[in-house]
């Protein structure tokens, strides 16, 4: 029998661990040992180690001083700092995109907003996330700035994984869709002042929502147990 492709096995481990890390049961500080994870997934330690290293780059896990990894978390300071970065990067990217956006890309942005609005009306978080991801992907392509795009994508991913695990996430879907619609219109009109104002307002609202969730749920308190205890 041919051996499984290590890259494919690593990708599988990465996806399954990411889903575990963003579930509502797992808490920061929970331990993730290579041996335990490999046994849980039924694979060798090599792809598990590679997957954990990728998750460390995503800042979803932290390497322990002694052995293994632990689930990372976001503090209020983390949220404030990430939002500060996104205000700068998104404003720059969206203004660049507005200067080269094609009619087809503008139409595609409108379709993304419609997808998000439909998802919000149904409470469909997965569909909403697809529309949101495509919205930002289109603007990153139009902006054509790899470094800014990579930095923004990484920081947004951290916030979204935290946000998607929050109980109050559905409350923001419709408002987020409306905010994306306004931003798309300003980009299509090359309204730079409007882009700056709307990006700041959107991220302000997102930041307030996340801080409120953090204060209410306090999910990022170390349990010092194993993340796999919750599976």
């Amino acid at each position: 029998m041919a051996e499984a492709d290590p890259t494919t096995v690593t990708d599988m481990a990465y996806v399954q661990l990411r889903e575990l890390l963003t579930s509502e049961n797992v808490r920061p500080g929970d331990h993730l040992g290579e041996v335990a994870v490999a046994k849980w997934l039924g694979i060798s330690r090599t792809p598990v180690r590679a997957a954990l290293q990728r998750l460390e780059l995503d800042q979803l896990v932290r390497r322990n001083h002694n052995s293994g990894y632990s689930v990372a978390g976001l503090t209020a300071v983390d949220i404030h700092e990430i939002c500060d970065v996104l205000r700068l990067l998104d404003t720059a990217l969206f203004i660049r995109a507005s200067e080269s956006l094609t009619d087809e890309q503008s139409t595609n942005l409108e379709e993304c907003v419609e997808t998000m609005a439909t998802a919000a009306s149904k409470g469909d978080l997965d569909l909403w996330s697809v529309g949101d991801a495509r919205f930002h992907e289109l603007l990153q392509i139009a902006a054509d700035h790899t470094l800014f795009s990579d930095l923004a994508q990484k920081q947004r991913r951290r916030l979204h994984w935290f946000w998607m695990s929050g109980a109050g996430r559905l409350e923001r879907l419709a408002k987020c869709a409306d905010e994306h619609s306004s931003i798309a219109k300003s980009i299509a009109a090359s309204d730079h002042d409007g882009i700056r104002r709307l990006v700041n307002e959107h991220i302000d609202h997102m930041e307030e929502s996340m801080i409120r969730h953090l204060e209410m749920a306090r999910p990022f308190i170390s349990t010092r147990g194993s993340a796999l205890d919750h599976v």
Side-chain angles (χ1 to χ4, degrees):
M1 180 182 295
E3 293 185 359
D5 182 352
T7 302
T8 301
V9 175
T10 296
D11 288 343
M12 179 274 292
Y14 172 79
V15 170
Q16 290 194 243
L17 282 170
R18 187 180 67 188
E19 291 176 353
L20 172 66
L21 293 171
T22 55
S23 71
E24 295 185 0
N25 294 323
V26 176
R27 295 292 180 265
D30 285 351
H31 183 67
L32 281 168
E34 290 180 11
V35 174
V37 172
K39 183 177 180 180
W40 172 56
L41 294 175
I43 59 178
S44 70
R45 292 175 61 182
T46 300
V48 168
R49 186 179 302 115
L52 287 168
Q53 288 170 349
R54 285 173 60 181
L55 290 164
E56 183 181 16
L57 291 174
D58 290 334
Q59 297 179 297
L60 286 180
V61 300
R62 293 192 176 100
R63 192 189 303 269
N64 296 333
H65 292 300
N66 297 325
S67 63
Y69 292 80
S70 60
V71 180
L74 289 179
T75 66
V77 172
D78 292 327
I79 293 171
H80 289 313
E81 289 183 351
I82 293 171
C83 287
D84 285 344
V85 170
L86 284 177
R87 286 186 187 92
L88 296 173
L89 292 174
D90 280 355
T91 297
L93 284 168
F94 294 176
I95 287 176
R96 282 179 63 94
S98 73
E99 296 169 350
S100 60
L101 195 73
T102 66
D103 290 341
E104 180 181 3
Q105 288 172 325
S106 181
T107 298
N108 289 337
L109 281 180
E110 293 174 2
E111 292 173 352
C112 290
V113 170
E114 290 174 3
T115 296
M116 295 166 70
T118 299
S121 67
K122 297 179 179 179
D124 189 335
L125 183 59
D126 290 336
L127 180 60
W128 190 93
S129 297
V130 169
D132 177 69
R134 180 57 178 159
F135 181 93
H136 288 283
E137 179 185 13
L138 286 166
L139 291 175
Q140 288 168 5
I141 291 171
D144 192 26
H145 196 300
T146 302
L147 180 58
F148 281 5
S149 295
D150 288 348
L151 289 171
Q153 185 177 41
K154 182 175 181 179
Q155 298 308 318
R156 181 171 288 102
R157 187 183 296 126
R158 289 182 69 197
L159 288 184
H160 277 201
W161 281 337
F162 164 53
W163 180 63
M164 287 172 68
S165 68
R169 60 191 179 274
L170 296 178
E171 299 174 2
R172 277 280 296 152
L173 293 186
K175 181 63 176 175
C176 279
D178 289 341
E179 290 170 357
H180 280 71
S181 177
S182 297
I183 290 171
K185 290 175 181 176
S186 289
I187 292 172
S190 294
D191 179 1
H192 293 185
D193 289 338
I195 291 170
R196 292 187 185 93
R197 176 177 57 81
L198 291 168
V199 166
N200 278 291
E201 288 178 358
H202 171 62
I203 294 179
D204 283 349
H205 295 156
M206 180 171 64
E207 182 177 18
E208 291 166 3
S209 175
M210 290 185 173
I211 293 297
R212 183 168 60 251
H213 167 60
L214 186 64
E215 291 298 321
M216 290 175 62
R218 290 290 181 185
F220 296 133
I221 300 174
S222 175
T223 62
R224 299 185 183 277
S226 170
L228 300 181
D229 291 341
H230 309 298
V231 178

